[in-house]
Every structure is written in structure tokens, then in C-alpha cells.
Amino acid sequence: MTVLPDADALETALGEAERRGEVAERRRGLLLALPSFAYMVLFFAVPLVIVLVYSFATRTSSGSTALSDWNLEAYRKLGEPIVRNVVIRSVVLALITTVLCLVIAYPFAYFCATRSATVRNLLLVAVMIPFWTNFLVRNYAWRLLLSSGGPISSFTESIGLGPTEILFTKTAVVIGLVYAYLPFMILPLFASIDRLDWRLVEASRDLYASGPASFRKVVLPLTMPGVIAGSILVFVPSMGAYVTPELLGGGKETLLGSYIVTQFLTARNWPVGASLSFVLMAVMLVSTIIYFRAGGKNL
Amino acid sequence: MSLRAVSKHFDDVVAVDSVDLDIGDGEFFALLGPSGCGKTTTLRMIAGLEIPSAGSLKIFGSEVGPLPPNRRPVNTVFQNYALFPHMSVADNVGFGLRMSKTPKADVARRVSEAISLVRMGGMENRRPAQLSGGQQQRVALARALVNRPKVLLLDEPLAALDLKLRQEMQFELKQLQREVGITFVFVTHDQEEALALSDRIGVMDSGRLLQVGTPEEIYDAPVDRFVADFIGRSNFLAGTLEAHDRVCLANGDRVTVPSVADGVVSVGDAVQVSLRPERVMIDRAGAAPEGHASLEGEVATVTFLGNSIVYRVALDWMTIEVETDHRPDLDRHEVGDRVAMWWRDDAIAVVRP
């Protein structure tokens, strides 16, 4: 006589097998993530800790850094007017860059998202193309374009506006930064506009909203995640930008990136450079988190 | 509201083909048809979400064809409600009023009236995502009705609800329409819904409006084979119209039919006779009463459905489906039995093939 296993026991056994499968799955996932995890720890977390350690160290009179006498001197230095001015200047410049990127990118992303698949893919590839060229090379290209006697200057001169002197001004820096970070604004905006449910726009039009009103009340609020993500992606690197302000601004006005480099290389004050880097990063990280949290709740 | 020769083309595709339609004030009108028949496009043209390629569209006598949706006295309840996810229930309902610059105090009062009209009181501050399908449906209704449109358009308003809720909402919708007295035009592919709700139905197929009439007219006197087939079930007997009230069937029998209206088919045309399964009487062979058209055949299948029995009776030239009540006083026939079938002359309709 065969004894059939009773239903409860069978169920328990099945549940056990399923659970074991899940555990195995999780273990496999962890294994797959291990290389990238190791990479991040080695090349991101460890250097970060080193920066943090150095920010508490002491600068010796000879300009070297003594890893002893731990103190907060470097952080105290950040409160000095000279640093404050650099920070304010950088924030203003980064804000201008972000707003300009937003104003340029939104209509473009909107246009892209409302085209046929072929056209939008073509346009998006066009957005990515600049990345195929070295960033430094592109900055030098702008230097050429903006230089006195360059194409832009010649053009304004030929139409009777006189030569333009853009290179080595704040304008040149903003142009360079907008150019460099525009794709970071376009892509998240495109993604959020593409996800937009157009029936909601139709509904708003049906409920007496004019075109502009429909944009203000429905399209913009619903694509806000893209606006926020894009703004962060542009604002954060603009704050710490180094190459573009140096090459196009001629280093006339010190911005955060240049200031940090100066602290490390010229002033040989590693603790100050380290503390400033660390504070910059921490502020950015915290504000990003707050921003996303707030955004997540509203949308 | 009146549509005259309204057409809509998308590139080469004709979505709506020269539709003429008048809808009366305060009427509950259904546009019924399978998906892709042009009913939604017609509704969207009335709403202003599509601009007609040709024809004239008037609401209360004024031409609205080319007007954008925000300048028409109509509001729409969208298929998936299209509630604004970033606004509360109250803000959703008040959207139209705010857009039309209604004074603030009026907005608040009318919003709360509309919300209580659809029995959603107490939910004003919820987000659409926190509501069930039926509740979202009600908010969508309130959001449209609060504007007191002259015409309310509903695009498959109940399609996203489960059966039980759908039946409940059907009833509510009908009652709501009586209360507010606004013209309702609704699009559906569900024939039962159309029959149950509407004062009149327009049946569409392939962009054409095939027939307009009351639910009874559409069911009892379809003019087109598609209409008879789409609404309920029917047997179609091929034949030729010999006189305005006589058809010669394909087997040579002559049957009397209700007089055919002019313009539908003319004498001499090939036609089909639509014979509803439940309108056919069935009995033992030879038992058909005198004075009726009758056919004889052999029972091929018997399907028991609880309240009714469906017989498929094989004739030598076609098969006819007959549905009878399941009652003890009616004889039950078995597969292989010879049976006679007959019907009243007014139980059938002549349709365009």
C-alpha cells in the first residue's frame, strides 16, 4: 500500500523549496554585483575616506601635510570671506547655467518626445554625438569659436555690430558650461515628457484650459521629476567645474573647482582643499536627497 | 446637436465616413460598435479633440467643427478617467471652473455640490491613486458635470470596471442623467450596456453609421445584417425581396415579412431575413400551425443553459439556432429528432446582406 503524503506536509515542503530558491537567487544576485561593488569601494569609497582624513590633518610650514595633530583648522578656514566669495560666485554661475539649460532643453525635449520613433532616435543620437569627442578638445574648440578674430567675432563685425570679446569672460564660461551639460538636462526631461499621459492634456483642454494653461497646470507639474533630475545633474557638476572656467574664463575669476585645485597644487594646503571638497560633496548630496524626497512626495 | 456628412481621415485611412446624426436635447444617446469602428473618433470630434476632415458639426445651432476643445460647451468623461494624478479630488473637480475663471466662492460651492451629487463626500482631499476604479469614475463624472456642459460625452465610461460595479454604475449613470437633464452621448462596444442605458442607439461599423433608433427598434427591426448580428444573436436566411412584404428564401419558400421601408433595400434585391433564436417556435415535425411560414429539420445539437435550451437544427440548406424556455410544459427534443419551426410574420426583419 502506498502512503500518500498528506497535503499539509506537501505544502510545507513546497514552501521550503521555494524559499530555498529565493535565497539562491539572492545569493546569485549578490555574486553578480560583487565586481562593481568592489570597484566602487576601491575607487570611490576609499579615496573619499582619504579626503576626509586629510581634511583633519595639519599643513606644516614647509607645505607638506602632517597626518598628526588632528584638528578642524581647515574647516574654520572655509568661513573666511575669500572662500565665501568663491562659493557665492560658483553658486550664481551654476544657477545661471542650470536655468539656461532648462530653458533650452525643455522645448527640445518636448519636441523630441512628440515626434515619431525615427525622428526622436535621430535627435537623441545627435544629443549624444558630442560625447564622442574629448571634453578638453571641445573646450578648445569653443576657445577658437569665441576668440577675438574667431568666427563669431568676425560674423558680428561683418553685420556691423563690431567685434565681440567673449573669450575669457563670465559669458564664455556660461556658454561652455551650458554646452557641456545640456545633454544631462535633455535626457531626464525627455524621459519624463515621454512618460507623460497625453490623455491628461486632452482632459485639461476639454476642461477649458487653453494651450499655455494646460502646460502650466498639467504638463509642467507632471514632468517636474525630469526638471528636478536634470537640474541636479547640471547644477552639481557646474558647481565644481574646473576645465571650462579655466580654459574659457581664463582663470580670471576663481571658482570652486579652480580654488580647490589651487589649494592642492599651488598653495599646497591639502587639508583646506580636502575639507572644501568634502563639504561641497556633502552639501550636494544632502540637498539632492532632500530635493528628491520632496519631489517624490508631491508627485 | 447635429452632425452633417462628418468625416475624418487619418492619412489614407477613413476613420469616420460621412456621418449624419441628430441628437436631441436631454437625450441619452449611445454610439455602439466594435473597436475601430469610428465611434470614439466621432466622439472626439464632438469634443474637439479631433478636427473633422469634412462636414458640419453644430451644437445648439452654432457651428463648432474647427473650435478647440476649451471653447466648446461639452465635457468628456475619458475612458480611463484621465484624472490629474497631482491634484486632489476637489482640485480635479474644480479644474474646469478655475480654468473658466469662475469666482472662487462659486467654485467651492459647485465643487462640493458636484462631489455630493456623485456621493464622494469626505474624499475631497484624496489623490486619484488612493481611489478605487468606481470612485475614480465618479470623480471623472463630477469633474465633467460641475461645468454644467450642454452635452456630456462619455468614452467607454464603464469598460474599466468589473461586472458587478459596472451594473451598479449603469444604474447610477442613468439616474444621474435624469437628475441633471443634460444630453449624454456615450460610446460603448457593449451592446447590453447600450440597450440598458440609452434612449436611442447609433450602431457604427467601419466608419459608417448603419442605423439609429431606440433600443427596441434596433433589436426588433435591424436594417443591416451587421446590426442584427452585433446586437443579440440572429439566424440569417438568404433570399430575394419579391415584393415590399414578401421574400423568396433560398430554398424556394416564400415568407411574409414586415413591410420594408424605402431606401433600405428595394424589390428584386438579394436580402437576408434576420430571425432571432428566441422568436422561433419549435415542435415535433408536422405540428406547425396553419398559416405560418415554417421549416422542418433535424436537431443537430442540444445545449442546456439553465433558464433556456438552445437547439441547433440542421436543414438541408442551412442550420438554424432556436432558443426556447426551459419549462416543464414544453417538450424537450433530442438530437436526431425531426422538428418543425415557425414564427410570427412580425418576428423577423429584412436586412441588407
Side-chain angles (χ1 to χ4, degrees), chain B residues 167-216:
Chain B
Q167 287 166 344
E168 215 171 287
M169 285 304 293
Q170 273 184 11
F171 175 73
E172 278 187 33
L173 212 55
K174 184 87 191 165
Q175 206 161 23
L176 196 64
Q177 196 260 346
R178 263 191 228 117
E179 260 172 69
V180 296
I182 292 172
T183 308
F184 276 33
V185 178
F186 91 113
V187 152
T188 182
H189 65 271
D190 182 339
Q191 40 125 343
E192 270 178 44
E193 197 171 288
L195 292 173
L197 285 175
S198 20
D199 298 326
R200 284 195 308 151
I201 300 174
V203 183
M204 287 190 77
D205 182 45
S206 321
R208 289 172 310 128
L209 187 62
L210 297 176
Q211 188 174 4
V212 178
T214 64
E216 288 80 5

Side-chain angles (χ1 to χ4, degrees), chain A residues 221-222 224 228 292-299, chain B residues 85-87 127:
Chain A
L222 290 176
M224 211 28 110
I228 290 170
F292 270 120
R293 281 272 163 82
K297 221 172 284 165
N298 282 333
L299 294 161
Chain B
H86 57 300
M87 294 181 197
R127 292 288 167 110

Side-chain angles (χ1 to χ4, degrees), chain A residues 76-280:
Chain A
R76 215 164 291 134
K77 273 240 167 72
L78 299 187
E80 287 176 4
I82 181 163
V83 180
R84 207 165 53 224
N85 286 339
V86 170
V87 169
I88 290 169
R89 210 177 293 141
S90 298
V91 168
V92 170
L93 212 70
L95 276 179
I96 293 172
T97 305
T98 308
V99 170
L100 279 176
C101 276
L102 189 60
V103 170
I104 297 168
Y106 204 103
F108 180 81
Y110 190 95
F111 179 82
C112 257
T114 49
R115 289 316 103 173
S116 68
T118 333
V119 176
R120 72 163 62 173
N121 288 342
L122 226 64
L123 288 171
L124 289 177
V125 168
V127 169
M128 313 291 255
I129 282 177
F131 285 113
W132 300 348
T133 312
N134 183 287
F135 183 59
L136 211 58
V137 173
R138 284 184 282 144
N139 270 286
Y140 274 107
W142 271 108
R143 217 165 138 147
L144 206 70
L145 282 170
L146 299 174
S147 63
S148 49
I152 292 172
S153 183
S154 318
F155 174 72
T156 51
E157 203 170 0
S158 73
I159 60 167
L161 291 172
T164 40
E165 298 290 343
I166 304 177
L167 192 60
F168 304 139
T169 62
K170 227 187 239 173
T171 315
V173 177
V174 171
I175 290 176
L177 289 176
V178 168
Y179 164 77
Y181 298 129
L182 195 59
F184 296 112
M185 185 65 93
I186 290 174
L187 295 179
L189 277 177
F190 169 80
S192 70
I193 297 171
D194 190 39
R195 262 203 311 271
L196 184 69
D197 184 352
W198 292 99
R199 286 173 305 193
L200 297 175
V201 179
E202 290 191 338
S204 72
R205 299 281 283 143
D206 183 67
L207 293 163
Y208 313 121
S210 62
S214 174
F215 178 79
R216 258 194 341 271
K217 300 282 181 187
V218 176
V219 179
L220 195 57
L222 290 176
T223 52
M224 211 28 110
V227 172
I228 290 170
S231 298
I232 289 169
L233 288 179
V234 171
F235 185 81
V236 171
S238 298
M239 270 293 276
Y242 171 65
V243 172
T244 305
E246 283 297 304
L247 290 183
L248 301 180
K252 267 195 230 158
E253 280 184 286
T254 315
L255 296 176
L256 261 175
S258 319
Y259 188 77
I260 292 170
V261 171
T262 314
Q263 289 309 308
F264 275 110
L265 300 184
T266 318
R268 299 197 60 75
N269 195 339
W270 285 26
V272 170
S275 65
L276 191 53
S277 305
F278 198 76
V279 169
L280 178 64

